[in-house]
Amino acid sequence: MVLITKPIIEVQNVVASGEFDQKIDLLHIAASLDRAEYNPESFPGLVLRVSDPKAVFLLFSTGKLVCTGGKSKEDVYAAIETLVKQLRSIDINVNSPPKVKIQNMVASVTLDFSINLETIALTLENSLYEPEQFPGLIYRMAVPKVVILIFGSGKLVCTGAKSEEQIHEAVDILVKELKEIGATEEPK
């Protein structure tokens, strides 16, 4: 019998999209902010890095944006506050903060047991295991709708979640399924 303690879950990246209710002058931003990169011949968006909290924005002239690199939803909102302050500091009159939606959260997970990937591949639907191509098993969970990369070492990567609650729910469901099908093994 394998003793299962609480999984260690760490959010590694949060991706959010948003939109200002106005157009944005990317040339002005590129000329005014040191950490802005804009090359419209190769990509229509401006890349802007902020450091506190650490995040990267893609800004488009339409007012749309993508934020990546935060480690939590709170980081995303704090980075957006930093972005708005920077834009206002260069005389871009931001009427209101952008409407933001979390699109994807990626988390690493450590379990305290090894996993028999062959057992999962033969038992769980929506799993793909091709060890010649990739050392992990890809498991597409329906509810919550996430994809989990499962490695024999007991390490997981969960992607596609919209909240930390979904990540925890997915990991709890997966651990229960692994126990039920006998795919858990003593650590090596």
Side-chain angles (χ1 to χ4, degrees), residues 16-22 63 65 77 80 96-101:
S17 63
E19 186 170 3
F20 289 102
D21 60 359
Q22 65 194 70
L65 67 88
Y77 289 112
I80 288 170
S96 60
K99 299 169 197 74
V100 177
K101 182 177 180 187

Side-chain angles (χ1 to χ4, degrees), residues 51-116:
S51 55
D52 188 26
K54 191 172 180 182
V56 178
F57 288 96
L58 295 178
L59 298 173
F60 299 91
S61 60
T62 59
K64 292 189 181 203
L65 67 88
V66 175
C67 175
T68 187
K71 301 280 188 185
S72 67
K73 194 162 82 170
E74 293 76 23
D75 277 0
V76 168
Y77 289 112
I80 288 170
E81 282 182 33
T82 300
L83 170 67
V84 169
K85 286 177 188 170
Q86 285 186 3
L87 294 178
R88 287 179 176 157
S89 77
I90 58 169
D91 297 324
I92 293 180
N93 186 20
V94 177
N95 300 326
S96 60
K99 299 169 197 74
V100 177
K101 182 177 180 187
I102 302 298
Q103 298 294 338
N104 182 25
M105 295 181 96
V106 179
S108 61
V109 181
T110 303
L111 303 175
D112 68 345
F113 54 88
S114 299
I115 301 169
N116 185 319

Side-chain angles (χ1 to χ4, degrees), residues 123-134:
T123 311
L124 292 183
E125 289 184 30
N126 302 316
S127 63
L128 175 65
Y129 183 47
E130 295 178 354
E132 320 75 45
Q133 301 292 319
F134 181 69

Side-chain angles (χ1 to χ4, degrees), residues 7-10 107-111 148 154-158 167 171:
I8 300 167
I9 300 172
E10 295 179 72
S108 61
V109 181
T110 303
L111 303 175
I148 302 177
K155 302 280 187 188
L156 314 173
V157 175
C158 179
I167 295 167
V171 171

